[in-house]
Structure formats: C-alpha cells, structure tokens
Amino acid sequence: MKTRHFLTLNDLSVEELQNIINNAIAGKLRLHAGQTVQTLKGRVLAMVFEKSSTRTRVSFETGMAQLGGHAIYLSPEGTQLGRGEPLEDTARVLSNMVDCIMIRTFAHEKVVRFAEFSRVPVINGLSDTYHPCQILADMQTYVEHRGSIKGKTVAWLGDGNNMCHSYINAAWMLDFKLNIACPEAYCPDQTILRTASNHAELFNEPCSAVKEADLVVTDVWASMGQEQEMAERQAVFAPYQVNRELMTHAKRDALFMHCLPAHRGQEVTADVIDGQQSVVWDEAGNRLHSQKALLEFLLL
Ligand code: CP
Ligand code: NVA
C-alpha cells in the first residue's frame, strides 16, 4: 500500500478530513473524562525542526506520549543535516528507524522531497507555503464552538501566507466562503487561489471582507524567515489590523482566531485577542487533539 503523507490539507479526502475533526473532538472529550488509550504504544515520531516552535513541538510530543508512543526532537544544529547531510539521505535513514516523521522547514519543495524518500508517513509541521496541522486545529475549534462550518463566511486579514493558503484548501474542502483582504503585493499564490475559485475571493477593503463574517482570522505580518522585512511590512499591513472597530462589521457572534504567536498592537489589538470573541487558547490547545487524531489516521 502507498505510504500516506500529510503535506497539505488536500492530501486527505473530504471524508477523511471530517473524520479526523470528529475523532479529535471525541478524543479530547475522552481525555478530559480521564480515559487514556495506548493506540500508538511503541511507535516513534521523529520531529525535524528547521524553524522555531512552541505549539507544534509540544503538541506532537505530548500527543505521542499520551498515545503510548515516543517523539524525538531533531534540529539542524544537533544533527548532520546542519553539516550538509542531504535531505534525501536523512529521510531514508530516519524512515528506516521511526514510524512517522514531522518536518518544519522553509521551502515547501523540501517537504515534498523529504516525503519522496521516506518509507513512513511524513507530516508537514509548517513550510513557507502551507501549515496544514494548524488548519486541522482551527476547524476543530470552529466546530466545537459553532457546529459545522459549511456555508459560513470566514474573513482572512493580512498576509496571504502559509496559513492563508491552508485556509484556501479548507474553504473548498469544507465548503465555506473565504474572504481574503491582503495588501496587493502580499496576496496568496494565484495557483493555490484558483483551486478554490468558487470559495475564496480577494477583497481590497478589510471592512468588506469582514462584513457578516462568522469567523475572522489573521496571522503575523512577517512570518519566520521574513523578520528583516518587518519594518516595511508594518507600514503596508497597518490598515489590515484586526481591531474592535473592524470586528463590528462581522456578525455579532463572530469568532476570532490566530494561530499564534501573536503581536498585540500589530496584526491584532489586545482587546480583540484577549476579548470575548477570541478562541485562540482553545485553538492552540486543539493542536494536541487534532494531531493525535491525525497520527492515529496515518499510523493505524
Ligand atoms: N501555531 C504554531 O504553529 O505555533 P508554533 O510556531 O509555536 O509551533
Ligand atoms: N505564518 C507564520 C505561522 C507561525 C505559526 C509563520 O510562518 O511564521
């Protein structure tokens, strides 16, 4: 049987995605009721991090431990990757020892190449182009708070980045409308956008994108690897800040999400991210539950 990978959300069928979300919700309820399962007993996940992480690392490591398995943290500095061992060789070697590999890196092409040379499932823990693990948690969080997202309106504000691309994937898979308001030079990739042309639309005005939205989402203005562009980005992105005034254009019961880490006073004001409509802590916590469901899907 062909090895299944999770490099983008589209590696799943719609039914598989819905099952993972439902299993994540059920697994979380079981955990909170004190029930533990050891479905991944003896299984090992290797985690290759070429960029920093708090949530992704801790959620995968905790998830594997809770399911009876083990996770190994690997960084370029601490492995031969940093001394020039080819990615392909690393993929072949790791996949002869472990049951699953998560990789967080820069160019998405590296994730794809890693998967080509891996005998075991590879999970994209974030690339410059996609962040599929985060969108699983976001979708779980929406369903927990509001039920099905089908037919709802989601507004994306700010950078047309890796998270925005994963939202575009989710829009057509889960059948919601995605209104994207980005500065012209920072729009999402046109090819990715075209895959969801019936579901995703670009807006010039942040207020128009947010109008009647059920969910408002933003992310940092400068992603990892773009730190040197921060000053110029701050000026361009300022009109796209999610603040209380902007939120008044959304539905009264609209939710606010942000994958974190956040910069209060830049892409979002403190009164929004720390306010009533924000579900960012549930969203971050759900990284654990949705990835446990993903690991079980890939490994069992
Ligand atoms: N949202 C997210 O992926 O967080 P980390 O960078 O801390 O893993
Ligand atoms: N777009 C952000 C997401 C961080 C979780 C980045 O790539 O840095």
Side-chain angles (χ1 to χ4, degrees), residues 51 55 104 126-127 131 134 161-163 219-220 222-224 259-261 287:
K51 288 175 175 173
R55 282 144 287 268
R104 167 172 283 200
L126 181 146
S127 66
H131 195 1
Q134 182 68 51
N161 62 11
N162 45 9
M163 271 308 299
D219 188 9
V220 291
S223 285
M224 288 181 276
C259 65
L260 306 178
R287 295 292 303 277

Side-chain angles (χ1 to χ4, degrees), residues 278-291:
S278 172
V279 289
V280 296
W281 311 122
D282 289 345
E283 180 189 3
N286 281 339
R287 295 292 303 277
L288 171 65
H289 309 292
S290 55
Q291 287 159 202

Side-chain angles (χ1 to χ4, degrees), residues 75-88:
S75 65
E77 309 79 54
T79 62
Q80 300 291 2
L81 265 175
R83 295 181 61 251
E85 183 165 18
L87 200 69
E88 294 83 346

Side-chain angles (χ1 to χ4, degrees), residues 126 131 134 155-165 167 216-224 226 230 233 237 240-242 256-263 266-268:
L126 181 146
H131 195 1
Q134 182 68 51
W156 175 272
L157 277 295
D159 195 10
N161 62 11
N162 45 9
M163 271 308 299
C164 180
H165 292 152
Y167 262 93
V216 178
V217 194
T218 192
D219 188 9
V220 291
W221 289 340
S223 285
M224 288 181 276
Q226 300 169 335
M230 194 55 198
R233 281 173 173 258
F237 282 100
Y240 298 82
Q241 182 188 66
V242 179
F256 170 77
M257 291 192 202
H258 186 311
C259 65
L260 306 178
H263 301 80
Q266 292 186 23
E267 72 272 8
V268 62

